[in-house]
Amino acid sequence: MAFVFSSLSKPKDGGVEVDIVCVPAIGADPRKTWERQTDTTGFERRRLDYVLHDRLYPAAQVHLYDHLTRQERDLEIKPPQGPNDHEHKRSAEDFAAGEALVAEFGVAEWADRFLEIVQEHRRAQRSDQRHVLFICHSTGGIVVKQALSKKNAESQNSVAACCLGVTFFSTPHHGSSVLSKPEYVQTVQNHLGLKWEMSENLRHDFLLRNTDLETLNHRFAVSVFGVKIYSYVESTDTNLTVLSTNDSGGETLTTIRLCIVDSRSGKLSSPEAPFEDEEVIQLNTTHVGAPRFKDEDTLYSFYIDEITAFVSGFSAEERSLHHALNHDIMSNTEVDVHQFYVVGTQGEPGSMKIMTAHPSLQDFLEIGPTKCMEARVLGTDQVDKSSRNGSVRPAIEFRPASEPAAPTFTVTSVESDETSSDTSRADSYPKLSVPIVPSPKTKHTRRPSLTIEVSDPEYPESPGHLAPKPTKNVAFTSNAANKNTDQGRRPQRAHLFQLPSASSERFKWIHVPFTHTGWVPHVLTAISQDTDDQNLHTNLLMDKMWSSQHNQSRHASPHARFVRPSVKCLLPKSSEKHVDTGITTPLSAINDVQFVAYLPYLHWDSFRNLQKRAEIIKLRRNQPHARPIAKHIARGNSMEHKLIWQHLTSDHPVHCRRTLDQYGYPSLRNTSVRDADQILYKRTKPDADVQPPKELSMKHKLQSSRAAAARQSSMPNAEDSVAKVLMVDQLWLWIVDSKTVITFFAPKEKEENDGGLWKEGDLRSEIYQDINGDYANQCADPFDFAALAVYHAVKALLDRTTDRNLQVFRVFEEYISILTEQQTLSFKEFRNNHQYKKAKDINAQQHIDNRKDLDALLELRDIEDELNTIDKLIKEQQSCVSEMFKQYHDLNIRHGKGFNGSRFLHDVDLFLTEHKEQLDGMLKGAQAAQKAFKELLDMKQKQANIVEAFLARESTEVAADQSRSVMIFTIFTIIFLPLSFFASVFGINAREWSGQPGNENTALPTLHEIFTYMGAISLAVIAVALMVAFNRHARRLSYKIWKVFAKPYLNLSGRLGISSRHPSGQPSRATSLGGEEIDLEKQAAVDAEKMRAKRLSTLSRTHSKMNWEEELRAHRNSRVGK
């Protein structure tokens, strides 16, 4: 029971950051376990600890652990030297005594030994805060898990808190038949090199599918966080020699081939206890060869490199922040445990009451719901920081309903069972001798006090002091049995509030906020352990009930993760088929009915919250792991943002809240543009054209004050907190047994200065307000409650909201009415614009501009799209409710359960039918308005064609006039052009026409020379002009040449003060000609591309949008130019 002394484990002066502890199987040799048996080329024949030391020195220190003490390890039976060899006898007795001592140990005792020696060793080296890595083989891995799962009185484990990772080599996480059955004892001892045979107690701990092992896996998953797990699984059979018998009764030695630890048992993760950071690697070797990487040199090299990179890249600061964030999530996420129980005296009908506890998720997973409720009743649970001012509940002793009528009560100060987060306890309570029923502080506090307070003269009460006083036991008996007793020694009979007891409990409702898939198995496992039935949730988490229901998209966007709507009823084992429907249903793992429902429902959120969530998701997806953690996330108050950052890319990720378009179009990669076009967002923005009523009621005044407070908030984009968007959340519901129902759904987080608006449409608040108080009797069993939860999920936003901006159907109806009225006005304007008498009175601008009508058409298309998405949601809800109603009909007949639930489902089915009809009416109205706008745009298009024809006719007439003028000029040109040509030719001073004979006048050129020069120069000028006119490169070259030759002259003119004929600030036509041509060409190309994209974009949504105003202006400009 110590670390093996080695030069590698000597303490160093400094620089050591990580301890590596190698743990063999229980009783195995700590050195031989890690020795490589082969000497392959390129790999050294050395133990694993030596290789790790060489690679990681001086950052890491390697230790070998031995489960046995040195005295136990040194025990050996000396060979006998004779018949009376006392040394042999004494050594045999010592060896047997040591074996008997070890035989009493189970996994828990070996783990206590391990944890004690590790802590003592770390204290001796003053390395309590040094991080540690464990490398375990076979049963040693179970010892390490047990040790890391243990906690002291302060619920702390320093070793577990410093654990970075664990490597498991062929560890039987879920048991092993070879390690647990007695026929394999000797062969297992020989193969593993154990000091003694595995004892019966130890073998019992490794039974296949052992309850203790499954519980240990759950505790280990809850206790450690951020620990990297490597699970190496054996795949080669081991030759096991066992003693066998045959039909004749003889015994022989037989060799069989089996894997000592099956591959499924070698994996830590399971559907019941998933583990996030586990990497499973299969080794083609035996159980003994796994830690030696026998014949697996490549994987051996990879493992050494992986451990080296892991230790080298380790950051203590990042890990500390990571653990702090996880601790914040687990300790501040409150689980609601609502206990339904019956109160009443014998012979009288009882009434249902509710007791509520709010443990943290960490406490719930560690101690279970029953102990959380006991702590709530006894007053030892932790105080709800969000709803209580740090006051501590006094202790309460209560009478079970099964006790006789003369119980003894411990009487203490009074408190109310408050669950609302907006209330606080009074500063002090007055001293009374009768039960006090405190007045409700909010709509949640409708239950009376649980205790009474009796004054005691020996303990005077100081004003305002809330510390609990010593209590006095007061006996209460019936008046009939105590007529002759001393009435002065006991108070009068009082009406007392009855607390829950074992006989009065009916069922529990356990609610977990946020839809995080990684929490589901842990919560179900905690409930199974609470009821001592590990098979309770086995079938609830099988593939077709849970994993196969998850939707994943190829682009892996968070909004594409959701659980498909479904309803499943698992009948007891004795049931085979639904008698009424004849449909084969899955069977439960217990002799009770189990139920599963996944339902989407409509909710809301502020646009500011939506933007923040989108920014955090985008930032988190840019890095593969949660570390490093953004500072504004770690310091923030939003639990949703922290949960998204921590578990967005986990193997079992959190399902984020989805917008309406993300629900309707999960395959889209990005819906931010569609989310910003939501009708509810447009109609609830502060600048929306919504007229408030002239006479404001109290409700409207409250809404106005909320909006004003949000707009005056100091936060940026405060107006976005007023604007709202529709969300589609998920309700996950499981009825585990006849006494437990579990729900998961995400809340709408409270915002700054929202004035309590976050409660509007909140599903948890709606359910709690309905069942807390006098109406708890409507839930006689978990099936009634499940139906009630579905009832409120469907109606929470559509029927129960008081804020007029959240009355979704009314918002849609009003907007459709506004657009319909706009359509009527557009028709009238179109009609009035055509009441002209003359063609010249046509005002094309009035009836050609269709921008307003096109915007209205697009709004109607958005309305139709969102209504279709809501229609899809209602159809899915109707399908789930219809299936639930069928299942409940069978439950009513065959099992006598869910009678009130059938009524709830019938009511919600009628509600959905009514809203479906209302939705269809709005769809028809939106479609009719769309059709009218399309007809109006079509008529405007036709009228535009008429205007275009009129303008074309007018242009044709102008062109005809111009052509006649040109014809006249042409006639004159035809007549005078030959005359002008011949006159100019004969006017040339040529040698032939000089009047002198011969060629005596040599000063004059001949006609041949004149025509030669004129033709050549004319052709050159024409060629250059045509080239500059029709060639872009020639124009650019001419512009550059002009700049080179004209710039010096222009600069000289500027220095000499020679003014240009052009005003200042306006370039001359000559200097800007080339630049203008280039700019015009570029601008023309850009404008053409814009017009093409604009037309394509417009054609994809509605009719083509034609800018008649620009065409008319261009036509008029052409006329003016001509």
Side-chain angles (χ1 to χ4, degrees):
M1 187 180 66
F3 287 107
V4 177
F5 179 78
S6 171
S7 59
L8 307 182
S9 60
K10 290 182 179 180
K12 300 178 176 58
D13 296 336
V16 178
E17 298 178 358
V18 178
D19 285 332
I20 300 178
V21 180
C22 301
V23 183
I26 299 175
D29 188 275
R31 296 183 178 88
K32 294 181 180 180
T33 300
W34 315 104
E35 286 182 351
R36 291 175 57 81
Q37 300 298 321
T38 58
D39 189 8
T40 309
T41 304
F43 292 89
E44 297 181 277
R45 187 180 178 182
R46 294 195 301 168
R47 293 202 312 256
L48 180 64
D49 55 327
Y50 286 140
V51 178
L52 290 176
H53 175 268
D54 293 344
R55 294 289 295 272
L56 298 175
Y57 180 85
Q61 192 173 11
V62 185
H63 307 274
L64 296 179
Y65 177 78
D66 190 0
H67 294 277
L68 304 178
T69 62
R70 292 184 179 179
Q71 294 78 9
E72 293 170 345
R73 179 63 66 181
D74 294 339
L75 289 176
E76 296 290 344
I77 299 178
K78 297 181 179 181
Q81 301 296 331
N84 297 322
D85 189 352
H86 298 288
E87 292 293 333
H88 169 71
K89 292 182 180 180
R90 186 162 38 283
S91 64
E93 291 175 356
D94 294 340
F95 189 85
E99 183 178 9
L101 177 64
V102 171
E104 298 178 358
F105 286 2
V107 173
E109 288 74 19
W110 289 112
D112 291 338
R113 269 192 174 192
F114 174 77
L115 186 61
E116 180 182 358
I117 193 62
V118 169
Q119 291 176 341
E120 181 180 351
H121 180 80
R122 289 165 65 87
R123 284 193 296 268
Q125 290 194 353
R126 297 180 180 179
S127 60
D128 293 348
Q129 303 302 320
R130 185 184 299 170
H131 294 88
V132 60
L133 284 170
F134 294 100
I135 302 176
C136 317
H137 176 232
S138 190
T139 56
I142 306 299
V143 173
V144 172
K145 286 200 305 181
Q146 183 77 24
L148 295 179
S149 302
K150 290 181 176 294
K151 294 188 177 182
N152 56 19
E154 290 79 18
S155 299
Q156 299 293 329
N157 188 331
S158 59
V159 179
C162 297
C163 181
L164 292 179
V166 183
T167 302
F168 295 106
F169 289 99
S170 300
T171 299
H173 298 290
H174 308 285
S176 171
S177 58
V178 176
L179 296 177
S180 59
K181 291 184 178 180
E183 55 266 28
Y184 300 105
V185 169
Q186 292 183 356
T187 186
V188 168
Q189 180 185 9
N190 295 333
H191 278 286
L192 295 180
L194 306 182
K195 180 73 175 181
W196 291 291
E197 296 179 351
M198 293 181 65
S199 64
E200 182 178 358
N201 292 336
L202 189 59
R203 285 188 281 107
H204 180 270
D205 290 339
F206 294 103
L207 289 173
L208 196 63
R209 303 298 295 181
N210 188 3
T211 303
D212 295 335
L213 286 179
E214 301 302 326
T215 303
L216 175 60
N217 293 335
H218 169 72
R219 289 169 48 202
F220 180 70
V222 174
S223 300
V224 298
F225 174 77
V227 175
K228 181 63 178 179
I229 301 296
Y230 297 97
S231 295
Y232 285 88
V233 181
E234 62 184 275
S235 60
T236 303
D237 296 336
T238 302
N239 295 326
L240 303 175
T241 303
V242 296
L243 187 65
S244 61
T245 60
N246 50 30
D247 296 338
S248 61
E251 297 181 352
T252 59
L253 290 176
T254 305
T255 300
I256 60 176
R257 296 177 61 84
L258 286 175
C259 286
I260 295 179
V261 177
D262 186 78
S263 60
R264 288 168 293 184
S265 182
K267 300 176 183 178
L268 176 60
S269 293
S270 65
E272 295 80 9
F275 207 95
E276 291 293 340
D277 298 327
E278 182 185 16
E279 186 173 349
V280 181
I281 303 98
Q282 187 173 358
L283 293 173
N284 294 322
T285 184
T286 61
H287 184 80
V288 178
R292 302 166 182 171
F293 288 93
K294 184 178 180 180
D295 300 329
E296 291 286 355
D297 296 337
T298 303
L299 289 178
Y300 176 69
S301 177
F302 285 165
Y303 176 70
I304 298 298
D305 294 340
E306 187 74 15
I307 295 297
T308 303
F310 184 77
V311 173
S312 302
F314 162 72
S315 173
E317 182 180 1
E318 288 185 4
R319 186 176 188 275
S320 177
L321 292 174
H322 196 213
H323 275 254
L325 181 61
N326 181 72
H327 180 267
D328 188 13
I329 293 173
M330 299 297 291
S331 60
N332 292 329
T333 300
E334 289 187 349
V335 178
D336 295 335
V337 181
H338 306 272
Q339 177 68 63
F340 289 74
Y341 65 100
V342 177
V343 298
T345 58
Q346 297 180 356
E348 297 181 1
S351 62
M352 193 80 75
K353 297 293 182 183
I354 302 175
M355 175 71 73
T356 302
H358 299 281
S360 65
L361 180 61
Q362 184 74 34
D363 294 339
F364 178 86
L365 296 178
E366 290 179 355
I367 65 178
T370 300
K371 291 185 178 180
C372 290
M373 184 55 62
E374 290 177 356
R376 167 68 184 94
V377 173
L378 297 176
T380 59
D381 61 332
Q382 294 181 357
V383 179
D384 185 358
K385 299 179 181 179
S386 63
S387 60
R388 299 171 181 87
N389 297 331
S391 57
V392 181
R393 295 189 181 96
I396 303 174
E397 295 181 3
F398 63 94
R399 170 181 62 86
S402 59
E403 290 189 2
T408 301
F409 276 73
T410 299
V411 188
T412 60
S413 61
V414 181
E415 76 166 319
S416 61
D417 182 25
E418 298 176 352
T419 59
S420 172
S421 62
D422 297 329
T423 60
S424 59
R425 184 175 286 110
D427 294 337
S428 61
Y429 292 99
K431 184 187 296 184
L432 298 174
S433 59
V434 295
I436 301 175
V437 180
S439 60
K441 296 177 176 62
T442 66
K443 57 186 177 183
H444 296 292
T445 57
R446 293 187 285 181
R447 288 177 285 180
S449 173
L450 304 180
T451 58
I452 62 175
E453 181 177 4
V454 178
S455 60
D456 192 345
E458 297 180 6
Y459 301 96
E461 182 183 26
S462 59
H465 185 61
L466 292 179
K469 307 185 300 296
T471 59
K472 180 184 291 185
N473 292 334
V474 184
F476 292 89
T477 57
S478 62
N479 294 333
N482 296 280
K483 291 183 179 179
N484 298 325
T485 57
D486 187 1
Q487 299 295 334
R489 298 178 58 185
R490 62 172 55 91
Q492 296 181 354
R493 180 76 176 183
H495 298 284
L496 303 177
F497 189 90
Q498 183 175 334
L499 297 175
S501 62
S503 60
S504 64
E505 292 179 356
R506 288 298 177 261
F507 66 91
K508 294 184 181 72
W509 167 36
I510 299 171
H511 170 60
V512 181
F514 307 111
T515 48
H516 178 28
T517 56
W519 289 349
V520 172
H522 296 311
V523 171
L524 292 175
T525 303
I527 295 172
S528 299
Q529 293 177 1
D530 191 68
T531 57
D532 295 329
D533 187 358
Q534 290 296 329
N535 295 325
L536 189 64
H537 67 287
T538 303
N539 288 359
L540 295 177
L541 292 179
M542 60 183 178
D543 183 70
K544 64 180 180 180
M545 299 294 294
W546 175 240
S547 299
S548 63
Q549 299 297 325
H550 290 222
N551 181 78
Q552 286 284 357
S553 179
R554 290 185 60 187
H555 54 74
S557 295
H559 68 263
R561 302 171 185 162
F562 60 91
V563 181
R564 300 182 185 93
S566 62
V567 173
K568 301 289 184 181
C569 184
L570 286 75
L571 300 179
K573 294 180 179 179
S574 58
S575 301
E576 292 293 339
K577 185 178 291 185
H578 243 296
V579 178
D580 296 336
T581 61
I583 301 175
T584 303
T585 59
L587 297 180
S588 171
I590 59 176
N591 290 321
D592 204 348
V593 181
Q594 294 181 317
F595 189 81
V596 179
Y598 309 122
L599 180 76
Y601 65 95
L602 200 62
H603 204 8
W604 71 278
D605 202 354
S606 68
F607 191 73
R608 181 171 64 188
N609 269 358
L610 177 64
Q611 289 179 316
K612 289 181 179 179
R613 188 183 300 110
E615 291 174 0
I616 292 172
I617 291 175
K618 181 179 179 181
L619 184 63
R620 176 62 179 82
R621 292 186 68 188
N622 290 335
Q623 59 185 58
H625 304 288
R627 292 179 287 185
I629 302 171
K631 294 183 179 180
H632 69 280
I633 299 295
R635 298 172 182 174
N637 298 323
S638 174
M639 193 60 61
E640 180 187 11
H641 296 171
K642 295 178 180 180
L643 192 64
I644 290 174
W645 188 271
Q646 190 81 314
H647 299 290
L648 184 67
T649 58
S650 302
D651 296 335
H652 304 275
V654 60
H655 286 192
C656 303
R657 301 186 66 195
R658 296 177 294 165
T659 63
L660 186 66
D661 289 291
Q662 289 173 348
Y663 163 77
Y665 302 94
S667 298
L668 292 179
R669 293 180 178 271
N670 190 356
T671 62
S672 57
V673 177
R674 301 181 67 95
D675 295 335
D677 283 338
Q678 267 200 31
I679 300 301
L680 187 64
Y681 168 68
K682 295 176 183 177
R683 302 304 298 170
T684 55
K685 289 193 298 184
D687 56 348
D689 55 342
V690 179
Q691 298 296 332
K694 295 181 179 179
E695 295 183 2
L696 293 178
S697 62
M698 184 64 67
K699 179 177 66 176
H700 292 148
K701 291 180 180 178
L702 177 60
Q703 296 170 6
S704 301
S705 64
R706 289 171 177 172
R711 285 193 295 269
Q712 295 175 2
S713 174
S714 58
M715 298 182 64
N717 299 326
E719 291 186 352
D720 288 337
S721 63
V722 180
K724 302 169 180 63
V725 290
L726 286 176
M727 311 290 290
V728 177
D729 291 333
Q730 303 178 78
L731 168 64
W732 301 346
L733 186 145
W734 293 270
I735 297 180
V736 182
D737 54 16
S738 59
K739 292 187 176 181
T740 309
V741 57
I742 308 171
T743 58
F744 280 70
F745 51 83
K748 195 273 177 192
E749 287 195 323
K750 184 179 180 181
E751 296 183 80
E752 182 182 356
N753 298 327
D754 66 350
L757 188 61
W758 63 274
K759 294 182 182 179
E760 292 286 344
D762 182 65
L763 181 55
R764 185 229 175 244
S765 300
E766 293 292 336
I767 296 174
Y768 185 77
Q769 292 176 27
D770 196 7
I771 62 176
N772 184 34
D774 298 333
Y775 292 95
N777 287 336
Q778 59 187 335
C779 297
D781 53 50
F783 295 93
D784 291 340
F785 177 83
L788 184 67
V790 172
Y791 175 86
H792 284 292
V794 173
K795 300 184 67 174
L797 185 66
L798 296 179
D799 191 53
R800 299 300 178 87
T801 55
T802 58
D803 192 285
R804 56 191 174 91
N805 289 333
L806 291 175
Q807 296 173 358
V808 180
F809 277 27
R810 179 178 295 181
V811 172
F812 277 98
E813 286 177 341
E814 290 179 353
Y815 200 28
I816 292 174
S817 300
I818 292 172
L819 295 175
T820 304
E821 180 66 20
Q822 180 180 338
Q823 165 242 317
T824 304
L825 294 176
S826 297
F827 268 102
K828 291 183 178 180
E829 290 177 1
F830 181 74
R831 180 194 62 189
N832 296 333
N833 289 337
H834 289 75
Q835 294 179 357
Y836 49 84
K837 297 181 180 181
K838 299 180 182 180
K840 63 179 183 180
D841 296 333
I842 296 178
N843 188 355
Q845 179 66 25
Q846 294 181 1
H847 62 271
I848 293 178
D849 187 10
N850 57 1
R851 190 173 305 163
K852 184 177 179 182
D853 299 329
L854 185 60
D855 291 341
L857 178 63
L858 296 179
E859 290 295 312
L860 287 169
R861 287 175 62 88
D862 291 341
I863 290 175
E864 182 184 9
D865 184 59
E866 293 185 21
L867 290 179
N868 284 327
T869 305
I870 298 176
D871 182 67
K872 172 187 173 183
L873 174 64
I874 291 180
K875 287 180 180 178
E876 290 184 350
Q877 290 178 341
Q878 283 181 320
S879 176
C880 292
V881 170
S882 176
E883 181 64 25
M884 284 185 67
F885 192 79
K886 294 178 183 178
Q887 301 288 354
Y888 272 54
H889 179 71
D890 183 71
L891 290 173
N892 296 340
I893 297 175
R894 293 169 58 98
H895 303 281
K897 298 179 179 179
F899 290 102
N900 293 335
S902 298
R903 178 172 56 85
F904 296 146
L905 294 175
H906 178 70
D907 293 343
V908 75
D909 186 61
L910 292 178
F911 176 82
L912 287 173
T913 303
E914 293 174 358
H915 280 69
K916 181 68 167 58
E917 294 175 355
Q918 186 180 0
L919 185 67
D920 292 339
M922 289 189 292
L923 275 172
K924 291 180 181 179
Q927 292 169 357
Q930 280 190 71
K931 183 179 179 181
F933 272 112
K934 289 179 181 179
E935 293 176 353
L936 177 61
L937 290 172
D938 184 63
M939 287 189 293
K940 286 191 174 184
Q941 178 72 29
K942 293 177 180 178
Q943 182 62 27
N945 294 336
I946 296 174
V947 173
E948 184 179 7
F950 173 78
L951 296 176
R953 179 182 176 183
E954 192 179 46
S955 300
T956 304
E957 293 176 355
V958 173
D961 294 339
Q962 292 177 351
S963 65
R964 284 193 293 269
S965 302
V966 171
M967 183 180 63
I968 296 173
F969 292 136
T970 304
I971 293 173
F972 279 96
T973 303
I974 292 173
I975 297 173
F976 291 102
L977 181 60
L979 298 177
S980 301
F981 174 74
F982 286 108
S984 60
V985 169
F986 285 108
I988 297 176
N989 292 325
R991 185 182 301 178
E992 288 79 1
W993 296 339
S994 62
Q996 295 179 4
N999 294 327
E1000 297 178 1
N1001 191 0
T1002 58
L1004 296 176
T1006 63
L1007 288 175
H1008 181 269
E1009 293 175 349
I1010 293 173
F1011 283 113
T1012 300
Y1013 285 114
M1014 289 178 59
I1017 295 174
S1018 298
L1019 289 175
V1021 171
I1022 293 172
V1024 172
L1026 291 176
M1027 186 180 297
V1028 173
F1030 296 101
N1031 192 303
R1032 181 181 303 174
H1033 300 287
R1035 288 198 302 271
R1036 292 180 179 175
L1037 180 61
S1038 62
Y1039 176 68
K1040 291 181 180 179
I1041 295 173
W1042 171 257
K1043 287 178 62 177
V1044 170
F1045 288 99
K1047 189 174 181 180
Y1049 170 75
L1050 295 176
N1051 294 337
L1052 181 60
S1053 300
R1055 288 195 297 268
L1056 296 177
I1058 301 175
S1059 61
S1060 177
R1061 292 181 299 171
H1062 301 277
S1064 60
Q1066 297 183 1
S1068 65
R1069 187 171 183 178
T1071 58
S1072 60
L1073 179 60
E1076 288 180 355
E1077 291 178 350
I1078 296 173
D1079 294 341
L1080 287 175
E1081 290 177 359
K1082 292 183 180 179
Q1083 186 64 31
V1086 172
D1087 292 344
E1089 186 64 25
K1090 286 184 178 179
M1091 288 301 297
R1092 178 177 175 274
K1094 191 173 184 181
R1095 287 175 180 173
L1096 289 176
S1097 175
T1098 308
L1099 284 172
S1100 63
R1101 305 188 62 166
T1102 183
H1103 290 287
S1104 129
K1105 185 177 178 181
M1106 302 179 64
N1107 197 334
W1108 299 106
E1109 181 181 357
E1110 293 182 2
E1111 293 186 6
L1112 186 60
R1113 187 182 299 111
H1115 176 70
R1116 290 174 177 173
N1117 293 337
S1118 64
R1119 288 181 58 188
V1120 172
K1122 293 179 180 180

